Amino acid sequence: MEFFLDTADVKVIREFKETGLINGITTNPSLVAKSGKDFKKILKEISKMIKGPISAEVTAIDCKGMIAEAKILSNISKNIVIKLPLTEEGLKACKILSSKKIKTNVTLCFSAAQALIAAKCGATYISPFVGRLDDIGENGMNLIREIKAIYSNYKNIKTKILVASVRTVDHVIESGMIGADVVTLPPATLAKLYKHPLTDKGLKAFLDDWKKTNQKIL
Ligand code: E4P
């Protein structure tokens, strides 16, 4: 399973790149607004650091406008993936861009039917938002199970399941158990993946005992 980092903060990306765990980046207009920086400059900077896919979302709401924006965003770097909303216009744009071999990430997916349609339109990635479904009392991970079951029935579906709106370590574990292709993680959630109180406690005990030996490895 690949890990993408869900942020538009270049500093944070630089920091997490060091872990060697980051396969790609997802951004959205809210994350860009939060960064307070110029979108195109952010994309340029990220593409210098990350060789994997970088999702950049269009903001036009009509197909023609989306295609025009996609052209500009794609020109920034060859690893830009065009993020499109799961609307009728977004799906039309997805079909056009897919036919031109431009990679797409269809976002704001909240149902299996939507995921099926996105795959039929040739989406490279589908982004189901699990956390936002949990927020309204539904089970977000059930949606991932449904999409996985549908996609697995058809060899010609190449669309990858990119689990988005991830809030917990359990979302990541379940994604792995279901066999999702990618999880996009907020930096704080990624950091939680390797944290365990027993690891900290165990390490402290080992180091305390080591001190008593008066030995040095180096
Ligand atoms: C994914 O591409 C989105 O940017 C993101 O995962 C949305 O997460 P949120 O629901 O926490 O805003």
Side-chain angles (χ1 to χ4, degrees), residues 137-198:
E138 291 189 25
N139 183 330
M141 293 314 298
N142 278 347
L143 175 58
I144 306 302
R145 265 182 280 277
E146 286 174 6
I147 300 172
K148 179 72 184 175
I150 295 170
Y151 283 11
S152 303
N153 281 337
Y154 302 97
K155 280 204 185 81
N156 60 334
I157 292 185
K158 303 285 180 226
T159 304
K160 290 183 175 176
I161 303 173
L162 192 170
V163 183
S165 189
V166 167
R167 306 267 163 82
T168 65
V169 171
D170 280 347
H171 281 152
V172 181
I173 302 301
E174 268 197 84
S175 297
M177 286 167 70
I178 295 166
D181 301 284
V182 190
V183 280
T184 188
L185 298 154
T189 311
L190 179 61
K192 277 187 200 149
L193 292 184
Y194 47 80
K195 269 277 174 200
H196 198 288
L198 289 180

Side-chain angles (χ1 to χ4, degrees), residues 66-80:
M66 288 177 192
I67 300 292
E69 289 185 358
K71 211 172 157 189
I72 292 168
L73 295 172
S74 297
N75 278 338
I76 294 175
S77 176
K78 61 176 186 333
N79 52 339
I80 297 287

Side-chain angles (χ1 to χ4, degrees), residues 4 6 8 27 43 50 53 60 74 89 95 101 106 143 172 174 179 186 188 210:
F4 290 179
D6 197 24
T27 64
L43 293 174
I50 303 288
S74 297
E89 293 298 298
K95 190 135 198 178
K101 305 268 177 265
V106 176
L143 175 58
V172 181
E174 268 197 84
W210 178 249

